[in-house]
Coordinates of all heavy atoms in Angstrom, one line a residue:
M1 N -21.4 97.2 -190.9 CA -21.7 96.0 -191.5 C -21.2 94.9 -190.6 O -21.8 93.9 -190.4 CB -21.1 95.9 -192.9 CG -21.3 94.6 -193.6 SD -23.1 94.5 -194.0 CE -23.1 92.9 -194.9
R2 N -19.9 95.1 -190.1 CA -19.3 94.1 -189.2 C -20.1 94.0 -187.9 O -20.2 92.9 -187.4 CB -17.9 94.5 -189.0 CG -17.1 93.4 -188.2 CD -15.7 93.8 -187.9 NE -15.0 93.7 -189.1 CZ -13.7 94.0 -189.3 NH1 -13.0 94.4 -188.3 NH2 -13.1 93.8 -190.4
A3 N -20.6 95.1 -187.5 CA -21.4 95.0 -186.2 C -22.7 94.3 -186.4 O -23.1 93.5 -185.5 CB -21.7 96.5 -185.8
I4 N -23.3 94.4 -187.5 CA -24.6 93.7 -187.8 C -24.3 92.2 -187.8 O -25.1 91.4 -187.2 CB -25.3 94.2 -189.1 CG1 -25.7 95.6 -188.9 CG2 -26.4 93.3 -189.4 CD1 -26.2 96.3 -190.2
V5 N -23.3 91.8 -188.5 CA -22.9 90.3 -188.6 C -22.6 89.8 -187.3 O -23.0 88.7 -186.9 CB -21.8 90.1 -189.6 CG1 -21.3 88.7 -189.6 CG2 -22.2 90.5 -191.0
S6 N -21.8 90.6 -186.5 CA -21.4 90.1 -185.1 C -22.7 90.0 -184.2 O -22.8 89.0 -183.5 CB -20.5 91.1 -184.5 OG -19.3 91.2 -185.2
L7 N -23.6 90.9 -184.3 CA -24.8 90.8 -183.5 C -25.7 89.6 -183.9 O -26.2 88.9 -183.1 CB -25.6 92.1 -183.7 CG -26.9 92.3 -182.8 CD1 -26.6 92.2 -181.4 CD2 -27.6 93.5 -183.2
L8 N -25.8 89.4 -185.2 CA -26.5 88.2 -185.7 C -25.9 86.9 -185.2 O -26.6 86.0 -184.8 CB -26.6 88.3 -187.2 CG -27.5 87.2 -187.9 CD1 -28.9 87.3 -187.4 CD2 -27.4 87.3 -189.4
A9 N -24.6 86.8 -185.3 CA -23.9 85.6 -184.8 C -24.1 85.4 -183.3 O -24.3 84.3 -182.9 CB -22.4 85.7 -185.1
L10 N -24.1 86.5 -182.6 CA -24.3 86.4 -181.1 C -25.7 85.9 -180.8 O -25.9 85.1 -180.0 CB -24.1 87.8 -180.5 CG -24.3 87.8 -178.9 CD1 -23.3 86.9 -178.3 CD2 -24.2 89.3 -178.5
V11 N -26.7 86.4 -181.6 CA -28.1 86.0 -181.4 C -28.3 84.5 -181.7 O -28.9 83.7 -181.0 CB -29.1 86.8 -182.2 CG1 -30.5 86.2 -182.3 CG2 -29.1 88.2 -181.7
V12 N -27.6 84.0 -182.8 CA -27.7 82.6 -183.2 C -27.0 81.7 -182.1 O -27.6 80.7 -181.7 CB -27.0 82.4 -184.5 CG1 -26.8 80.9 -184.8 CG2 -27.8 83.0 -185.6
I13 N -25.9 82.2 -181.6 CA -25.2 81.4 -180.5 C -26.0 81.3 -179.3 O -26.2 80.3 -178.6 CB -23.8 82.0 -180.3 CG1 -22.9 81.8 -181.5 CG2 -23.2 81.4 -179.0 CD1 -21.6 82.5 -181.4
L14 N -26.6 82.4 -178.9 CA -27.5 82.4 -177.7 C -28.7 81.5 -177.9 O -29.2 80.9 -177.0 CB -27.9 83.9 -177.3 CG -26.8 84.8 -176.8 CD1 -27.4 86.2 -176.6 CD2 -26.3 84.2 -175.5
G15 N -29.3 81.5 -179.1 CA -30.4 80.6 -179.4 C -30.0 79.2 -179.3 O -30.7 78.3 -178.7
I16 N -28.8 78.8 -179.8 CA -28.3 77.4 -179.7 C -28.1 77.0 -178.2 O -28.5 76.0 -177.8 CB -27.0 77.3 -180.5 CG1 -27.4 77.4 -182.0 CG2 -26.4 75.9 -180.2 CD1 -26.1 77.4 -182.9
I17 N -27.5 77.9 -177.4 CA -27.3 77.7 -176.0 C -28.6 77.5 -175.3 O -28.8 76.6 -174.4 CB -26.4 78.8 -175.4 CG1 -25.0 78.7 -175.9 CG2 -26.4 78.7 -173.9 CD1 -24.1 79.9 -175.6
G18 N -29.6 78.4 -175.6 CA -30.9 78.3 -175.0 C -31.6 77.0 -175.3 O -32.2 76.4 -174.4
V19 N -31.5 76.4 -176.5 CA -32.2 75.2 -176.8 C -31.4 74.0 -176.1 O -32.0 73.1 -175.6 CB -32.2 75.0 -178.4 CG1 -32.6 73.6 -178.7 CG2 -33.1 76.0 -179.0
A20 N -30.1 74.1 -176.1 CA -29.3 73.0 -175.5 C -29.5 72.9 -174.0 O -29.4 71.9 -173.5 CB -27.8 73.3 -175.8
T21 N -29.7 74.1 -173.3 CA -29.9 74.0 -171.9 C -31.3 73.8 -171.5 O -31.6 73.7 -170.3 CB -29.4 75.3 -171.3 OG1 -30.1 76.4 -171.8 CG2 -27.9 75.5 -171.5
G22 N -32.2 73.8 -172.4 CA -33.6 73.6 -172.1 C -34.4 74.9 -171.8 O -35.5 74.8 -171.3
F23 N -33.8 76.0 -172.0 CA -34.5 77.3 -171.8 C -35.6 77.5 -172.8 O -36.7 78.0 -172.4 CB -33.5 78.4 -171.9 CG -34.0 79.8 -171.5 CD1 -34.2 80.1 -170.2 CD2 -34.4 80.7 -172.5 CE1 -34.7 81.3 -169.8 CE2 -34.9 82.0 -172.1 CZ -35.1 82.3 -170.8
F24 N -35.4 77.0 -174.0 CA -36.5 77.0 -175.0 C -36.9 75.5 -175.2 O -36.0 74.7 -175.3 CB -36.0 77.5 -176.3 CG -35.5 79.0 -176.3 CD1 -34.2 79.3 -176.6 CD2 -36.4 80.0 -176.0 CE1 -33.8 80.6 -176.5 CE2 -36.0 81.3 -176.0 CZ -34.7 81.6 -176.2
K25 N -38.2 75.3 -175.2 CA -38.6 73.9 -175.5 C -39.6 74.0 -176.7 O -40.5 74.9 -176.8 CB -39.4 73.4 -174.3 CG -38.5 72.8 -173.3 CD -39.3 72.0 -172.3 CE -38.4 71.2 -171.4 NZ -39.1 70.3 -170.5
F26 N -39.4 73.1 -177.6 CA -40.3 73.0 -178.8 C -41.0 71.7 -178.7 O -40.4 70.6 -178.5 CB -39.5 73.1 -180.1 CG -38.7 74.4 -180.3 CD1 -37.4 74.5 -180.0 CD2 -39.4 75.5 -180.6 CE1 -36.7 75.7 -180.2 CE2 -38.8 76.7 -180.8 CZ -37.4 76.8 -180.5
S27 N -42.3 71.7 -178.9 CA -43.0 70.4 -178.9 C -44.1 70.5 -180.1 O -44.6 71.6 -180.4 CB -43.8 70.2 -177.6 OG -44.7 71.2 -177.4
A28 N -44.3 69.4 -180.6 CA -45.3 69.3 -181.7 C -46.0 68.0 -181.7 O -45.5 67.0 -181.1 CB -44.5 69.5 -183.1
T29 N -47.2 68.0 -182.2 CA -48.0 66.8 -182.3 C -47.9 66.4 -183.8 O -47.9 67.2 -184.7 CB -49.4 67.0 -181.9 OG1 -50.0 68.1 -182.7 CG2 -49.5 67.4 -180.4
P30 N -47.9 65.1 -184.0 CA -47.8 64.6 -185.4 C -49.1 65.0 -186.2 O -50.2 65.0 -185.6 CB -47.7 63.1 -185.3 CG -48.1 62.8 -183.9 CD -47.9 64.0 -183.1
G31 N -48.9 65.4 -187.4 CA -50.0 65.8 -188.2 C -50.5 64.7 -189.1 O -49.9 63.6 -189.1
E32 N -51.5 65.0 -189.9 CA -52.1 64.0 -190.8 C -52.5 64.7 -192.1 O -53.0 65.8 -192.1 CB -53.3 63.3 -190.2 CG -53.7 62.0 -190.8 CD -54.8 61.4 -190.0 OE1 -54.6 60.9 -188.9 OE2 -55.9 61.4 -190.5
M33 N -52.2 64.1 -193.2 CA -52.6 64.7 -194.5 C -54.1 64.6 -194.7 O -54.7 63.6 -194.2 CB -51.9 63.9 -195.7 CG -50.4 64.1 -195.7 SD -49.9 65.8 -196.0 CE -50.4 66.0 -197.7
P34 N -54.7 65.6 -195.3 CA -56.2 65.5 -195.5 C -56.5 64.4 -196.5 O -55.7 64.1 -197.4 CB -56.5 66.9 -196.0 CG -55.2 67.4 -196.6 CD -54.1 66.8 -195.8
K35 N -57.7 63.9 -196.3 CA -58.1 62.9 -197.2 C -58.9 63.5 -198.4 O -59.8 64.3 -198.1 CB -59.0 61.8 -196.5 CG -58.2 61.0 -195.5 CD -59.1 60.0 -194.8 CE -58.3 59.1 -193.9 NZ -57.2 59.7 -193.1
I36 N -58.6 63.2 -199.6 CA -59.2 63.8 -200.7 C -59.8 62.7 -201.6 O -59.1 61.7 -201.9 CB -58.2 64.7 -201.5 CG1 -57.7 65.8 -200.7 CG2 -58.8 65.2 -202.8 CD1 -56.6 66.6 -201.3
A37 N -61.0 62.8 -202.0 CA -61.6 61.9 -202.9 C -62.0 62.6 -204.2 O -62.6 63.6 -204.2 CB -62.8 61.2 -202.3
V38 N -61.5 62.0 -205.4 CA -61.9 62.5 -206.7 C -62.6 61.5 -207.4 O -62.2 60.3 -207.5 CB -60.6 62.9 -207.4 CG1 -60.9 63.4 -208.8 CG2 -59.7 63.9 -206.6
S39 N -63.7 61.9 -208.0 CA -64.5 60.9 -208.8 C -65.1 61.7 -210.0 O -65.4 62.9 -209.9 CB -65.6 60.3 -208.0 OG -66.5 61.3 -207.5
G40 N -65.4 60.9 -211.1 CA -66.0 61.5 -212.2 C -65.1 62.4 -213.0 O -63.9 62.5 -212.8
G41 N -65.7 63.1 -214.0 CA -65.0 64.1 -214.8 C -64.3 63.4 -215.9 O -64.2 62.2 -216.1
S42 N -63.7 64.2 -216.8 CA -62.9 63.7 -217.9 C -61.9 64.8 -218.3 O -62.1 65.9 -218.0 CB -63.9 63.4 -219.1 OG -64.5 64.6 -219.6
L43 N -60.9 64.3 -219.1 CA -59.9 65.3 -219.5 C -60.5 66.1 -220.6 O -61.4 65.7 -221.4 CB -58.7 64.5 -220.1 CG -57.9 63.7 -219.0 CD1 -56.8 62.9 -219.7 CD2 -57.3 64.6 -218.0
P44 N -60.0 67.4 -220.8 CA -60.5 68.2 -221.8 C -60.1 67.7 -223.2 O -59.0 67.1 -223.3 CB -59.9 69.6 -221.5 CG -58.7 69.3 -220.7 CD -59.0 68.0 -219.9
R45 N -60.9 67.9 -224.2 CA -60.5 67.5 -225.6 C -60.0 68.7 -226.3 O -60.7 69.8 -226.3 CB -61.7 66.9 -226.3 CG -62.1 65.6 -225.6 CD -63.4 65.1 -226.1 NE -63.9 64.1 -225.2 CZ -64.3 62.9 -225.6 NH1 -64.3 62.6 -226.8 NH2 -64.7 62.0 -224.7
V46 N -58.9 68.6 -227.0 CA -58.3 69.7 -227.7 C -57.9 69.2 -229.1 O -57.4 68.1 -229.3 CB -57.0 70.1 -227.0 CG1 -56.3 71.2 -227.8 CG2 -57.3 70.6 -225.6
S47 N -58.3 70.0 -230.1 CA -57.8 69.7 -231.4 C -57.2 70.9 -232.0 O -57.6 72.1 -231.7 CB -59.0 69.3 -232.3 OG -59.9 70.4 -232.4
A48 N -56.1 70.7 -232.7 CA -55.3 71.8 -233.2 C -55.0 71.6 -234.7 O -54.6 70.4 -235.0 CB -54.1 72.1 -232.4
D49 N -55.1 72.6 -235.5 CA -54.6 72.5 -236.9 C -53.3 73.2 -237.0 O -53.2 74.4 -236.6 CB -55.7 73.1 -237.8 CG -57.0 72.3 -237.9 OD1 -56.9 71.1 -237.7 OD2 -58.0 72.9 -238.1
A50 N -52.3 72.5 -237.5 CA -51.0 73.1 -237.7 C -50.6 73.2 -239.1 O -51.0 72.3 -239.9 CB -50.0 72.3 -236.9
G51 N -49.9 74.2 -239.5 CA -49.4 74.3 -240.9 C -48.2 73.3 -241.1 O -47.8 72.6 -240.2
S52 N -47.7 73.3 -242.3 CA -46.6 72.4 -242.6 C -45.4 73.2 -243.0 O -45.5 74.4 -243.4 CB -47.0 71.5 -243.8 OG -47.1 72.3 -245.0
I53 N -44.3 72.7 -242.7 CA -43.0 73.3 -243.0 C -42.2 72.4 -243.9 O -42.1 71.2 -243.7 CB -42.2 73.5 -241.7 CG1 -43.0 74.5 -240.7 CG2 -40.8 74.1 -242.0 CD1 -42.3 74.6 -239.4
S54 N -41.7 73.0 -245.0 CA -40.9 72.2 -245.9 C -39.5 72.8 -246.0 O -39.3 74.1 -246.1 CB -41.5 72.1 -247.3 OG -41.6 73.4 -247.8
L55 N -38.5 72.0 -245.9 CA -37.1 72.5 -246.0 C -36.4 72.0 -247.3 O -36.8 71.0 -247.8 CB -36.3 71.9 -244.8 CG -36.8 72.3 -243.4 CD1 -36.0 71.6 -242.3 CD2 -36.7 73.8 -243.2
G56 N -35.6 72.9 -247.8 CA -34.9 72.5 -249.0 C -33.8 73.5 -249.3 O -33.4 74.3 -248.5
S57 N -33.2 73.4 -250.5 CA -32.2 74.4 -250.9 C -32.3 74.7 -252.4 O -32.9 73.9 -253.1 CB -30.8 73.8 -250.6 OG -30.6 72.7 -251.4
R58 N -31.8 75.8 -252.8 CA -31.8 76.2 -254.2 C -30.6 77.0 -254.5 O -30.0 77.6 -253.6 CB -33.1 76.9 -254.6 CG -33.1 78.3 -253.9 CD -34.4 79.0 -254.2 NE -34.4 80.3 -253.4 CZ -35.2 81.3 -253.7 NH1 -36.0 81.2 -254.7 NH2 -35.1 82.3 -253.0
N59 N -30.2 77.1 -255.8 CA -29.0 77.9 -256.2 C -29.5 79.3 -256.5 O -30.5 79.5 -257.2 CB -28.3 77.2 -257.4 CG -27.6 75.9 -257.0 OD1 -27.2 75.8 -255.9 ND2 -27.5 75.0 -258.0
E60 N -28.7 80.2 -256.0 CA -29.1 81.6 -256.2 C -27.8 82.4 -256.5 O -26.8 82.2 -255.9 CB -29.8 82.2 -255.0 CG -30.4 83.6 -255.1 CD -31.6 83.6 -256.0 OE1 -32.3 82.6 -256.1 OE2 -31.9 84.6 -256.6
A61 N -27.8 83.4 -257.4 CA -26.6 84.2 -257.7 C -26.6 85.4 -256.6 O -27.5 86.1 -256.5 CB -26.7 84.8 -259.1
V62 N -25.4 85.4 -256.0 CA -25.2 86.4 -254.9 C -23.9 87.1 -255.1 O -22.9 86.5 -255.5 CB -25.2 85.7 -253.5 CG1 -25.0 86.7 -252.4 CG2 -26.5 85.0 -253.3
S63 N -23.9 88.5 -255.0 CA -22.6 89.2 -255.1 C -21.8 89.0 -253.9 O -22.3 89.3 -252.7 CB -22.9 90.7 -255.3 OG -23.7 90.9 -256.5
V64 N -20.5 88.6 -254.0 CA -19.6 88.4 -252.9 C -18.4 89.2 -253.2 O -17.8 89.1 -254.3 CB -19.3 86.9 -252.8 CG1 -18.3 86.6 -251.7 CG2 -20.5 86.0 -252.6
P65 N -18.0 90.0 -252.2 CA -16.7 90.8 -252.5 C -15.5 89.9 -252.5 O -15.4 88.9 -251.8 CB -16.7 91.8 -251.3 CG -17.5 91.1 -250.2 CD -18.6 90.3 -250.9
E66 N -14.5 90.3 -253.3 CA -13.3 89.6 -253.4 C -12.2 90.4 -252.7 O -12.0 91.5 -253.0 CB -12.9 89.3 -254.8 CG -11.7 88.4 -255.0 CD -11.4 88.2 -256.5 OE1 -12.4 88.0 -257.2 OE2 -10.3 88.2 -256.9
V67 N -11.6 89.8 -251.7 CA -10.5 90.5 -250.9 C -9.2 89.8 -251.2 O -9.0 88.6 -251.2 CB -10.8 90.3 -249.4 CG1 -9.8 91.0 -248.6 CG2 -12.2 90.9 -249.1
K68 N -8.2 90.7 -251.6 CA -6.9 90.2 -251.9 C -6.0 90.7 -250.8 O -6.0 91.9 -250.4 CB -6.4 90.7 -253.2 CG -7.2 90.2 -254.4 CD -6.6 90.6 -255.7 CE -7.5 90.0 -256.8 NZ -7.0 90.4 -258.1
V69 N -5.2 89.8 -250.2 CA -4.2 90.1 -249.2 C -2.8 90.0 -249.7 O -2.5 88.9 -250.3 CB -4.4 89.2 -248.0 CG1 -3.4 89.5 -246.9 CG2 -5.8 89.3 -247.4
A70 N -2.0 91.0 -249.5 CA -0.6 91.0 -250.0 C 0.3 91.1 -248.8 O 0.0 91.7 -247.8 CB -0.4 92.1 -250.9
T71 N 1.4 90.4 -248.8 CA 2.4 90.4 -247.8 C 3.7 91.0 -248.3 O 4.0 90.8 -249.5 CB 2.6 89.0 -247.2 OG1 3.1 88.2 -248.2 CG2 1.3 88.5 -246.6
K72 N 4.5 91.6 -247.4 CA 5.8 92.0 -247.7 C 6.7 91.7 -246.5 O 6.3 91.7 -245.4 CB 5.9 93.5 -248.1 CG 5.5 94.4 -247.0 CD 5.6 95.9 -247.5 CE 5.3 96.8 -246.3 NZ 5.5 98.2 -246.7
Q73 N 8.0 91.6 -246.8 CA 9.0 91.3 -245.8 C 9.4 92.6 -245.1 O 9.8 93.6 -245.7 CB 10.2 90.6 -246.4 CG 10.0 89.2 -246.9 CD 9.7 88.2 -245.7 OE1 10.2 88.4 -244.6 NE2 9.0 87.2 -246.0
T74 N 9.3 92.6 -243.7 CA 9.7 93.8 -243.0 C 10.5 93.3 -241.8 O 10.2 92.2 -241.2 CB 8.5 94.5 -242.5 OG1 7.7 94.9 -243.6 CG2 8.9 95.8 -241.7
S75 N 11.5 94.0 -241.4 CA 12.3 93.7 -240.2 C 11.7 94.2 -238.9 O 11.5 95.4 -238.9 CB 13.8 94.2 -240.4 OG 14.5 93.9 -239.2
V76 N 11.4 93.4 -238.0 CA 10.8 93.8 -236.7 C 11.6 93.1 -235.6 O 12.0 92.0 -235.6 CB 9.3 93.3 -236.7 CG1 8.7 93.7 -235.4 CG2 8.6 93.8 -237.9
E77 N 11.8 93.9 -234.5 CA 12.5 93.4 -233.3 C 11.5 92.6 -232.5 O 10.4 93.1 -232.1 CB 13.1 94.5 -232.5 CG 13.9 94.0 -231.3 CD 14.5 95.2 -230.6 OE1 14.6 96.3 -231.1 OE2 15.0 94.9 -229.4
V78 N 11.8 91.3 -232.2 CA 10.9 90.5 -231.4 C 11.6 90.0 -230.1 O 12.8 89.9 -230.1 CB 10.4 89.2 -232.2 CG1 9.5 89.7 -233.3 CG2 11.6 88.4 -232.7
P79 N 10.9 89.8 -229.1 CA 11.6 89.4 -227.8 C 12.0 87.9 -227.9 O 11.4 87.1 -228.6 CB 10.5 89.5 -226.8 CG 9.2 89.5 -227.5 CD 9.5 90.0 -228.9
T80 N 13.1 87.6 -227.2 CA 13.6 86.2 -227.2 C 13.7 85.8 -225.8 O 13.9 86.6 -224.8 CB 14.9 86.1 -227.9 OG1 15.9 86.9 -227.2 CG2 14.9 86.5 -229.3
V81 N 13.6 84.4 -225.5 CA 13.8 83.9 -224.2 C 14.9 82.8 -224.3 O 14.8 81.9 -225.2 CB 12.5 83.3 -223.7 CG1 12.7 82.6 -222.4 CG2 11.4 84.4 -223.6
A82 N 15.8 82.8 -223.4 CA 16.9 81.8 -223.4 C 16.8 81.0 -222.1 O 16.7 81.7 -221.0 CB 18.2 82.4 -223.6
V83 N 16.7 79.7 -222.1 CA 16.7 78.9 -220.9 C 17.9 78.1 -220.8 O 18.3 77.4 -221.8 CB 15.4 78.0 -220.9 CG1 15.4 77.1 -219.7 CG2 14.2 78.8 -221.0
R84 N 18.6 78.2 -219.7 CA 19.9 77.4 -219.5 C 19.7 76.5 -218.4 O 19.1 76.8 -217.3 CB 21.0 78.4 -219.2 CG 21.4 79.3 -220.4 CD 22.7 80.1 -220.1 NE 22.9 81.0 -221.1 CZ 22.7 82.3 -221.1 NH1 22.1 82.8 -220.1 NH2 22.9 83.0 -222.2
K85 N 20.1 75.2 -218.6 CA 20.0 74.2 -217.5 C 21.1 74.5 -216.5 O 22.2 75.0 -216.8 CB 20.2 72.8 -218.1 CG 19.1 72.4 -219.0 CD 19.3 71.0 -219.5 CE 18.2 70.6 -220.5 NZ 18.4 69.3 -221.0
P86 N 20.8 74.2 -215.2 CA 21.9 74.3 -214.2 C 23.0 73.3 -214.4 O 22.8 72.3 -214.9 CB 21.1 74.1 -212.9 CG 19.9 73.3 -213.2 CD 19.6 73.7 -214.7
D87 N 24.2 73.7 -214.0 CA 25.3 72.8 -214.2 C 25.3 71.7 -213.2 O 24.9 71.7 -212.2 CB 26.6 73.6 -214.1 CG 26.8 74.6 -215.2 OD1 26.2 74.3 -216.3 OD2 27.4 75.6 -215.0

């Protein structure tokens, strides 16, 4: 992989040197956009029938589970951090 990247970098550097020294010359003639004329015609006509949507709310009886959470006191060892200022 490193060899491929090194070879590609070498080719790019040689190309830059070739253009800078005049070994490669590029020439172009200015171009022109084609002339296009559009006349006549009309946009297509489209008609669509869409349904209706109504939003609302209502009351409904739904079964909901009841969860009870109980707590109890337990002794647990927890880590502590003490920070002392330098004298």
Side-chain angles (χ1 to χ4, degrees):
M1 181 69 179
R2 185 180 285 179
I4 293 172
V5 172
S6 299
L7 183 62
L8 183 61
L10 181 65
V11 169
V12 169
I13 291 171
L14 289 176
I16 292 171
I17 292 172
V19 170
T21 59
F23 187 76
F24 298 117
K25 278 194 170 181
F26 297 103
S27 62
T29 56
E32 197 174 290
M33 293 296 291
K35 293 180 176 38
I36 298 174
V38 178
S39 63
S42 64
L43 293 176
R45 295 172 195 232
V46 177
S47 65
D49 293 329
S52 64
I53 298 174
S54 62
L55 299 175
S57 64
R58 64 181 178 165
N59 290 330
E60 188 73 28
V62 178
S63 298
V64 178
E66 187 177 318
V67 179
K68 294 184 181 181
V69 178
T71 60
K72 64 178 183 174
Q73 292 289 332
T74 305
S75 178
V76 178
E77 184 178 344
V78 294
T80 59
V81 176
V83 178
R84 295 186 183 102
K85 293 182 182 179
D87 294 331

